[in-house]
């Protein structure tokens, strides 16, 4: 029998899980992949025949930012110094797309093109994910997360929920995930609202001023 080789990393659906769940291996691999795609932006940003700024930003979002957004809710629980490895990729991509000087302040460049910082993008993805789960009782992760929502003892700790609570605290956001808005029982297109039709008895030509 062939002996099984032990490995500290496991790749599942494109995410590399390490034995400490530090996400260092995944983020380093992700950075390498993004750097290869960054060369495409560099080529297309040629001053003589390259694409315009709006097209380059769309290409950057499609090729690179989408890659960093994938699984960001999960690997976003890594330490700040580990996540910071991806910041230069985002900043350089926007700089290449806008044709800005490398010495220009990154914050100003992102502000001019209306693009948020990479950490803010990850926070938005996390908030969307948690709010989505809280409103889907049949979601595969709903049972575990709802134990945390109800402040009861859960079987396993949730790093994603801890990250979500940290984001809420930092932006001073008060949101109750256990409070759901009731949906109408009757379909909206079957409603029969009361509409005042008294104006129909007047001729349009005689009502203008």
């Amino acid at each position: 029998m062939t002996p099984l080789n032990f490995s500290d990393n496991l790749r599942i659906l494109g995410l590399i899980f390490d034995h400490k769940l530090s996400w260092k291996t995944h983020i380093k691999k992700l950075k390498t992949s993004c750097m290869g795609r960054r060369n495409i932006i560099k080529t297309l940003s040629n001053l003589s025949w390259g694409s315009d700024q709006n097209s380059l930003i769309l290409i950057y979002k499609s090729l690179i930012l989408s890659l960093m957004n994938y699984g960001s809710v999960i690997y976003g629980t890594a330490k700040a110094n580990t996540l910071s490895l991806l910041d230069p990729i985002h900043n350089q991509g926007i700089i290449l797309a806008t044709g800005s000087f490398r010495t220009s302040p990154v914050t100003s460049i992102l502000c001019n093109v209306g693009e948020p910082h990479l950490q803010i993008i990850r926070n938005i993805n996390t908030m969307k994910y948690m709010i989505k789960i809280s409103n889907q009782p049949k979601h595969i992760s709903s049972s575990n997360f709802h134990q945390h929502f109800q402040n009861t003892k859960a079987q396993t700790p949730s790093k994603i929920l801890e990250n979500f609570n940290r984001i809420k605290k930092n932006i001073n956001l008060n949101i109750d995930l256990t409070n759901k808005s009731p949906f109408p029982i009757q379909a909206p297109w079957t409603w029969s609202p009361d509409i005042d039709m008294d104006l129909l008895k007047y001729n349009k030509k005689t009502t203008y001023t």
Side-chain angles (χ1 to χ4, degrees), residues 128-142:
K128 287 182 178 179
Y129 176 75
M130 295 300 296
I131 294 174
K132 177 182 178 181
I133 288 181
S134 66
N135 288 279
Q136 293 184 1
K138 295 183 179 180
H139 195 278
I140 189 173
S141 302
S142 179

Side-chain angles (χ1 to χ4, degrees), residues 25 31 46 67 72 78 91 103 146 158 167 189 207:
T25 305
K31 181 179 180 179
N46 189 283
L67 198 63
S72 63
N91 299 337
T103 56
H146 271 284
S158 172
I167 296 171
W189 52 85
T207 56

Side-chain angles (χ1 to χ4, degrees), residues 37-116:
R37 299 188 178 192
R38 186 189 58 183
N39 295 331
I40 300 177
I41 307 295
K42 186 180 297 184
T43 302
L44 294 177
S45 61
N46 189 283
L47 296 178
S48 59
W49 54 267
S51 302
D52 60 282
Q53 175 177 311
N54 293 332
S55 299
L56 289 174
I57 292 177
L58 289 177
I59 294 173
Y60 163 75
K61 290 181 178 180
S62 302
L63 293 180
I64 300 178
L65 187 58
S66 61
L67 198 63
M68 292 189 290
N69 280 338
Y70 178 76
S72 63
V73 176
I74 301 177
Y75 76 78
T77 58
K79 294 182 179 180
N81 59 345
T82 304
L83 293 172
S84 63
L85 296 175
L86 298 176
D87 291 342
I89 301 296
H90 180 61
N91 299 337
Q92 292 171 10
I94 296 297
I95 290 175
L96 290 173
T98 57
S100 304
F101 293 106
R102 295 183 179 180
T103 56
S104 301
V106 176
T107 304
S108 300
I109 298 175
L110 294 177
C111 182
N112 288 336
V113 297
E115 291 297 326

Side-chain angles (χ1 to χ4, degrees), residues 3 5 10 13 15 18 21 32 54 62 65 74 76 86 103 109 120 153 155 158 166 168 183 194 199 207:
N5 296 325
L10 177 64
L13 296 177
L15 296 176
D18 58 88
L21 288 180
T32 303
N54 293 332
S62 302
L65 187 58
I74 301 177
L86 298 176
T103 56
I109 298 175
I120 297 178
K153 185 177 180 180
Q155 295 180 355
S158 172
R166 178 186 56 80
K168 288 198 305 178
F183 287 92
D194 295 330
L199 291 178
T207 56

